[in-house]
Amino acid sequence: RLCLPSHFSYTRVMNISTLVTPMARQTLSADVYAQLRELLMSGRMMPGEKLSLRSMAEALGVSVMPVREAVHRLVAEQALEMAANRYIRVPIMTASQFREITSIRINLEGQAAARAAELVSPAALAEIESIHNDFCREFAKAAPDESNLISLNKQLHFAIYSIADMPILQGIVESLWLRIGPILNYDLRSGSERVVQRVQAGHHEGMVGALRDRDPVAACKSVQNDIQSAADFILETGVLIVSDGKPAL
């Protein structure tokens, strides 16, 4: 049996209407796919949250057909799963899956950051510094907006990785975030001691500083530290499960 904080549920039915933008055109499943994909990657959907095709279609302002097509793509990518009762659910990740994805991320994202430090332009650095400053300002508030922190965290990471100009690597990283995103920002959602101590902001400062110094070794290490620190916290909380359904300690 899982011992989770009261605000964290694997059975919550999600109200998606507050998170998506209704479509202006009753068309392309690609538009629906892009919005749902962004919600998953940025951690706006939580593990175990349930959705229905009809509720998603209503929230997006489209018919059920493009939603069904988008969901089928995400199911094929293991980002969503289809239940027998027609509900779509955000998968519950096991501790072993989380550790494996984290290990891959540490290698790939570290490599991308190192390459970015070699290639970063003044304009790209200014953009990254702006995102980081927004993140720090939000963190400095007495009651930070967790949704904004989560969004800015993703923006910062991918702004760095895009500089590396390694589209194949970035595609792999995006696919990993698609699967791990729903649990990735648990520390930001939980109001943990890491949030109180601004741990994430410190790691981000190291990432930005390494880019500013054009230091690939430091850039790689700072990204890897950021990933590992968050992963260690998530594993320690016991919110993940092991294969027998027990919490991971």
Side-chain angles (χ1 to χ4, degrees), residues 82-120:
M82 190 83 71
N85 59 5
R86 295 187 182 182
Y87 269 100
I88 297 93
R89 189 176 77 158
V90 180
I92 298 171
M93 182 167 289
T94 66
S96 62
Q97 290 171 329
F98 181 80
R99 289 190 182 97
E100 181 179 358
I101 292 175
T102 297
S103 176
I104 298 169
R105 287 185 61 219
I106 285 172
N107 285 288
L108 293 185
E109 295 178 41
Q111 181 181 351
R115 183 63 173 159
E118 296 172 347
L119 299 178
V120 64

Side-chain angles (χ1 to χ4, degrees), residues 116-182:
E118 296 172 347
L119 299 178
V120 64
S121 67
L125 180 60
E127 178 189 358
I128 288 167
E129 289 177 330
S130 176
I131 297 170
H132 175 57
N133 290 337
D134 288 345
F135 187 86
C136 291
R137 277 193 291 270
E138 188 63 52
F139 239 138
K141 295 178 180 178
D145 182 334
E146 65 179 32
S147 295
N148 197 28
L149 287 175
I150 289 168
S151 176
L152 290 167
N153 178 66
K154 177 179 174 291
Q155 287 179 47
L156 180 66
H157 277 266
F158 280 95
I160 293 172
Y161 305 155
S162 66
I163 298 169
D165 194 24
M166 303 175 75
I168 295 174
L169 184 149
Q170 181 155 341
I172 296 170
V173 171
E174 289 177 357
S175 70
L176 295 173
W177 275 61
L178 188 58
R179 294 191 62 185
I180 206 171

Side-chain angles (χ1 to χ4, degrees), residues 117 120 205-220 222:
V120 64
E205 180 61 41
M207 292 156 60
V208 175
L211 292 177
R212 194 181 295 121
D213 296 338
R214 292 183 172 273
D215 186 336
V217 174
C220 176
S222 60

